[in-house]
Amino acid sequence: MRASEPIQLQSGVTLKNRLVFAPISTMEDAPDGKVTKDELSFFAQRTGDVGAIVIASAYVDQEGKSYGNNLSVSHDHYIESLKELPRVIQQNDTKIFLQLYHGGAMAEGQVEHFKPVCVSQTSSRLTEGKEYRELTDSEIEQIILAYKEATLRAIKAGFDGVEIHAANSYLPNQFLMPTWNLREDKWGGSLENRLRFLEVLIDQIKEVVAMNQVKPFALGVRISLEDAFLGTQEERDASFKEALGVLKLLDDKGLDYLHITSSNALEKKEINGQKIELLRLLKRFAEKTPLVGCGNLLQSEEVEEALEFSDLVSACRPFVFTPDWAKKIQQGELIELPSTGIDWQLRQKLNIPRNLWKGIESSPDWYLYKF
């Protein structure tokens, strides 16, 4: 079974198997951005069998926080709190990566008289009636510095790597998408210019890692395959084809992995009149970089099918109700999600944080794979 095979990433980080716990926002961190006991208990019950766990949405800047209660990696005084996560998760050689993000125009911010920054003041994606501040060159450089400093904090806290969140309309994705980015300077216009922010982030984070790592330290990128807010299928198809170009350009950056966002990793895409498996297609453009397939993978046969064309697979929903999902997948066991008894007793048994449980109660069918 390929899911059980180890893989060594370019950085030297070795994952003991091909399974990754994808970033899931528990929204259980303290309002000040520190780790809570409830979140630690949640992950402690789910580590040990999986190759790596990616901790979701750590904001790199106080002005970059976008929602709920998530982790902060915006200042040195968070390092001691962050250390608790590797201490709990690095059991039985499970690796832990920290996902770094900045909300850009979607940020709520944590400072007085906050006005979110945007890539382009003229973007139609901005909320009408809300005030924004278009980023200047110097502000862009300051945000890049914030990512670098966040990476150094992750190293000091004992993480095994960081993942740049360049999907789901967060700031690097806002630079990439032509609906967000209407700039006419070096940060906008052509695809190469719109990709510049992410490329600079990658290059400068790699420099931080090279100068400060005390053990192998990985760098990955999570990326969306299309602009989900586009209205027509033709527009979305064009966005998908541009994403393939992004993958090809990022394939030369020496990344440890490219983590794909997808609602269905096993779907087929029609390209030039021909239907082809999504992951097979993506691998043609990410030939040198390990590809992490993600989306609607629950049973072992689905995971193995995805691994025919990707190097790793990730999932988050299965871990919520099946903490030993990675173990069951490697043993080829049937995954059975609960159909009754979704109550507070189950929440306590599975150490599901209260705020995550509220999300489950509002969208139970999504978490239980009922479509």
Side-chain angles (χ1 to χ4, degrees), residues 21-29 36 38-43 45-46 56 67-70 316-323 342-343 346-348 350-364 366-368:
F21 188 166
I24 182 171
S25 295
T26 66
M27 292 179 286
E28 196 62 29
D29 301 296
T36 62
D38 285 349
E39 183 164 31
L40 292 173
S41 296
F42 175 77
F43 285 112
Q45 193 174 358
R46 289 157 177 81
Y67 65 94
N69 290 351
N70 42 54
C316 63
R317 288 179 291 164
F319 283 97
V320 175
F321 289 106
T322 312
I342 310 297
D343 54 24
L346 182 64
R347 180 182 82 80
Q348 289 187 319
L350 297 177
N351 285 303
I352 298 174
R354 189 177 302 274
N355 285 328
L356 176 57
W357 186 255
K358 289 178 182 177
I360 293 169
E361 288 182 317
S362 65
S363 305
W366 187 78
Y367 282 94
L368 295 171

Side-chain angles (χ1 to χ4, degrees), residues 44-59:
Q45 193 174 358
R46 289 157 177 81
T47 193
D49 296 313
V50 66
I53 295 177
V54 184
I55 301 298
S57 304
Y59 53 93

Side-chain angles (χ1 to χ4, degrees), residues 37 101 105 113 180 239-240 244 262 289 321 332 340 348 361 368:
K37 290 181 180 179
Y101 92 101
H113 306 303
W180 282 104
S239 178
F240 176 75
L244 296 179
S262 168
T289 309
F321 289 106
T340 59
Q348 289 187 319
E361 288 182 317
L368 295 171

